[in-house]
């Protein structure tokens, strides 16, 4: 197992962690959440929740979760491309 494989596993773990944080937050705010499906709908709800949040500290916390999700998704695209191009 080389570093790219480890990076890919890390990107998968961080993506799942970000989606877990999104689902937990939505559930705490009273939204219906299904743990295994509806990831895109949950993302849209969370993004709207972030935009509508009035407390600045909470909005920054939500934005950090979104930024982590974006970074992990970029890793899920970029790392396999590196693996394909390297072989």
């Amino acid at each position: 197992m080389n570093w790219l494989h480890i990076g890919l596993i890390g990107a998968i773990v961080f993506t799942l962690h970000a989606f877990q944080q999104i689902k937990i937050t939505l559930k705490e705010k009273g939204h219906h959440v299904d743990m295994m499906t509806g990831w895109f709908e949950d993302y849209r709800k969370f993004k709207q929740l972030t935009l509508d949040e009035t407390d600045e500290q909470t909005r920054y916390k939500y934005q950090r979760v979104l930024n982590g999700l974006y970074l992990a998704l970029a890793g899920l695209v970029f790392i396999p491309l590196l693996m394909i191009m390297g072989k």
Side-chain angles (χ1 to χ4, degrees), residues 31 44-55 58-59 62:
H31 294 278
R44 287 192 295 270
K45 286 180 190 176
F46 189 75
K47 182 127 176 142
Q48 189 61 42
L49 182 70
T50 303
L51 294 173
D52 294 342
E53 184 61 46
T54 57
D55 182 32
T58 308
R59 187 172 347 124
Y62 293 166

Side-chain angles (χ1 to χ4, degrees), residues 21-65:
Q21 293 300 314
I22 289 172
K23 288 183 178 287
I24 288 170
T25 303
L26 288 175
K27 189 157 184 98
E28 288 175 352
K29 293 290 184 176
H31 294 278
H32 174 71
V33 175
D34 184 13
M35 282 299 167
M36 294 299 179
T37 60
W39 291 8
F40 293 117
E41 183 179 339
D42 291 339
Y43 166 75
R44 287 192 295 270
K45 286 180 190 176
F46 189 75
K47 182 127 176 142
Q48 189 61 42
L49 182 70
T50 303
L51 294 173
D52 294 342
E53 184 61 46
T54 57
D55 182 32
E56 201 153 315
Q57 290 291 87
T58 308
R59 187 172 347 124
Y60 286 145
K61 182 176 126 183
Y62 293 166
Q63 192 62 46
R64 279 192 307 240
V65 172

